[in-house]
């Protein structure tokens, strides 16, 4: 594949009323499938032609994805697919582990309460997306499940921190999906994570959250090196 992005992004011209979101979804799917690679430059004219949209509409979508962290604006070099270093990926996991553990332990205090039911519903939505075979929806619901763990922990601090951490988590999950496509294993791991939280054993929760996060990062790094 050339260094500049000249992808087809199957589906033809965008004709829906929500053009920006449709374009963003097509680009997200290309990121998940590896059609757009980490570090690759986004060539606006190619993408606009492939999607059948104006360049201003495309730029709106690119700005949305830059805000999400999937793309980065490089001074004097244009827009590129985010390419976090190994050190950055490990750093995000080290920051994330104690915070997500804190959220899980808070949820475990009331395993049958409304907060835990909310997490269980997020898991069910994620599992349904996996079963559907829609990789993009599975990715979206994967991130939403982890956000639900933070949100339903009912910690104002965690809710404030999530937008910053969540952007980095999204990048890590996108890389994970692109280099290791194993939906069946994904379903097993997330069922177990939620089950461990529901069972409420503190030591097991701490170990499971750490293993869940560290395993994902280690596998991405192994495949990228």
């Amino acid at each position: 594949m050339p260094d500049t992005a000249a992808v087809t992004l199957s589906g033809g011209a965008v004709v829906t009323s929500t053009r920006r979101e449709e374009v963003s979804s097509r680009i997200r799917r290309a990121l998940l499938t590896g059609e757009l690679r980490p570090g690759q430059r986004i060539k606006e004219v190619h993408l606009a032609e492939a999607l059948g949209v104006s360049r201003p509409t495309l730029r709106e979508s690119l700005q949305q994805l830059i805000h999400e962290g999937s793309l980065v604006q490089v001074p004097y070099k244009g827009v590129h697919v985010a390419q976090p270093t190994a050190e950055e990926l490990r750093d995000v996991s080290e920051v994330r582990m104690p915070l997500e553990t804190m959220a899980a332990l808070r949820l475990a205090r009331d395993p049958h309460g409304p907060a835990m039911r909310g997490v269980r519903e997020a898991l069910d939505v994620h599992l349904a997306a996996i079963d559907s075979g829609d990789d993009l929806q599975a990715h979206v619901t994967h991130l939403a499940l982890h956000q639900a763990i933070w949100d339903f922990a009912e910690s104002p601090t965690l809710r404030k921190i999530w937008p910053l951490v969540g952007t980095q988590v999204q990048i890590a999950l996108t890389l994970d999906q692109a280099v290791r496509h194993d939906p069946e294993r994904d379903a097993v791991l997330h069922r177990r994570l939620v089950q461990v939280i529901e069972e409420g054993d503190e030591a097991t929760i701490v170990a499971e959250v750490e293993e869940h996060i560290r395993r994902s990062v280690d596998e991405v790094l192994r495949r990228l090196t």
Side-chain angles (χ1 to χ4, degrees), residues 12-63:
V14 177
V15 296
T16 66
S17 59
T18 55
R19 289 190 172 188
R20 185 183 70 177
E21 186 53 43
E22 178 68 14
V23 171
S24 299
S25 294
R26 298 247 191 115
I27 297 173
R28 290 189 194 101
R29 191 178 298 278
L31 293 168
L32 292 173
T33 60
E35 192 176 1
L36 293 174
R37 304 188 314 269
Q40 186 172 354
R41 183 183 175 190
I42 301 296
K43 196 72 171 180
E44 284 188 14
V45 64
H46 294 163
L47 284 179
E49 290 176 357
L51 294 166
V53 297
S54 66
R55 291 182 69 178
T57 297
L58 176 64
R59 288 190 187 112
E60 288 181 3
S61 296
L62 294 180
Q63 286 302 314

Side-chain angles (χ1 to χ4, degrees), residues 113-129 141-142 144-146 148-149 152 194 198:
M116 198 63 223
R117 285 198 297 273
V119 172
R120 169 60 69 176
E121 289 172 3
L123 172 65
D124 291 342
V125 171
H126 181 46
L127 295 177
T141 57
H142 184 181
L145 171 57
H146 284 283
I149 292 173
F152 285 110
V194 173
E198 288 177 326

